[in-house]
Amino acid sequence: MRQALRIGLAGLGTVGGGVVEILDRHKDLLAARCGRPLVLAGVSARNKSRERNLPLGKVNWFDNPVKMAADPDIDVVVEAIGGEDGIARRIADAALKAGKSLVTANKAMIAHQGTRLAKLAEKNGVALRFEAAVAGGVPIIKALREGLAANRLVEVYGILNGTCNYILTQMEETERDFDEVLAEAQSLGYAEADPSFDIDGIDTAHKLAILASLAFGVEVNFAGVHIEGLRHISWEDIAYAQELGFRIKLLGITRRGALGVEQRVHPCMVEIDSPVAHVEGAFNAIVAEGDAVEHAVFEGPGAGRGPTASAVVADIVDIARGDLSPAFSVPARTLKPSVPYPMAERRGANYVRLRVVDEPGVVARVAAALRDANVSIESIIQRGQAEGDLVSMVMVTHEAREGNMIQALERIGRLKSVVEPPTMIRIVTF
Ligand SMILES: NC(=O)c1ccc[n+]([C@@H]2O[C@H](COP(=O)([O-])OP(=O)(O)OC[C@H]3O[C@@H](n4cnc5c(N)ncnc54)[C@H](OP(=O)(O)O)[C@@H]3O)[C@@H](O)[C@H]2O)c1
């Protein structure tokens, strides 16, 4: 058996704690699969005296994780602390500069610094791995890098945030509005005290930027992702979606388009028979479309101790086996610049919900605004009550240029009989 691989682990929380447990529980299995033992040689976290209930034995404790990252006794560094900058970045830089491979679960750091870190890893002849950063236990990074390497990929899309999917599923199942379900999710620990990273689509965008780079050979460009979150989705929209044969999902979508690589995150109306329509609760699902494989679907738990640690340890196994291939499939210096995709040029159908005063002429004024912007209506639902009441008017448009759609909605929003800003949800067919 070859020499042991000595691991330095920074962070002993949900992810780091799970890594310690798997390394201990599957010591023999992992040694057999790697052809060498995996040894936890050093750990670091914020608070040394915290009771962790982990099988740490006499593992060397480092007060300073950056020093641990450069310590000659460590072969590979695992960063499980988090944050796009700060301590996580210092650990990553120290490890790679010292010629040690780096495994991280940190999507924020990879979304913001992935290209730079990949270049640094390649310059120093080591590996950068981040399977846990996207979709937790679902091995989508490996699938894109390895399993689908024979394909020219066309599109990758999916549900990348379990909290958002849990909220949408709960809204649908319990017929309640967003704020109520979010508050409950927070009290149950399914959503953070500050949920904005999840519900505003930022977490999904971090993961999407990583997938876009892997799939299409472009630099990781988080700033180039169009991002819309979930806050404006109501139970009423979910009910109308059902009636129209759709479900609402927050998707990350990246595809190769005529104007470059599209990267967008927003709520979508997906057809009821789409592979992502029935993904429930906190699960993640990703669909990759390649020219040879056609559609491949990957689904599983997107977060949590076991699933995330499973992905981290799989990365360590690859490194122990000697896989030093480029983090983003191709050498980082060959990644192409990624330009933000102009959303105004998107073409697609849309769902629109208006809150209007039920009075004569309102439908005609709304229809005129759409017609003048070259948007045609496929169907309208308006359940009138008594004249003068507030009612919802729901429309499905035919495929239209998004810039025209926005222009029409701005005009509609200014109509006197429209009493709330219009809600638009893109209808996405795959
Ligand atoms: N949780 C998930 O399901 C999940 C899924 C995918 C990816 N991730 C990513 O994994 C990373 C870690 O997440 P987590 O959920 O495991 O976080 P966590 O439970 O909050 O654990 C963070 C760990 O980092 C340590 N730490 C914090 N600041 C530190 C510092 N300045 N110096 C040294 N150690 C420090 C903490 O030490 P103490 O224990 O002493 O406080 C703790 O052990 C993040 O990048 C996250 O985005 C998490």
Side-chain angles (χ1 to χ4, degrees), residues 173-251:
E173 281 175 2
T174 61
E175 306 189 0
R176 284 180 300 163
D177 260 321
F178 177 81
D179 289 339
E180 206 182 317
V181 172
L182 172 62
E184 186 186 82
Q186 285 172 308
S187 71
L188 293 171
Y190 291 122
E192 303 281 337
D194 175 5
S196 50
F197 250 54
D198 292 320
I199 64 177
D200 292 332
I202 296 159
D203 178 77
T204 301
H206 282 151
K207 296 164 182 170
L208 186 76
I210 297 171
L211 293 180
S213 175
L214 264 166
F216 302 119
V218 291
E219 291 176 353
V220 193
N221 181 12
F222 171 73
V225 184
H226 171 89
I227 311 174
E228 280 170 42
L230 273 189
R231 291 183 200 259
H232 61 293
I233 304 295
S234 68
W235 147 244
E236 211 185 347
D237 296 316
I238 291 182
Y240 278 116
Q242 281 174 340
E243 189 174 334
L244 293 162
F246 297 111
R247 288 186 97 184
I248 300 177
K249 294 289 178 191
L250 185 86
L251 297 186

Side-chain angles (χ1 to χ4, degrees), residues 11-16 45-47 50 52 65 80-83 87 105-107 132 303-304 308:
L12 292 168
T14 305
V15 177
R46 208 167 17 198
N47 181 354
R50 171 169 292 175
R52 300 184 190 272
I81 291 178
I87 189 81
N106 189 335
K107 51 233 166 182
T308 314

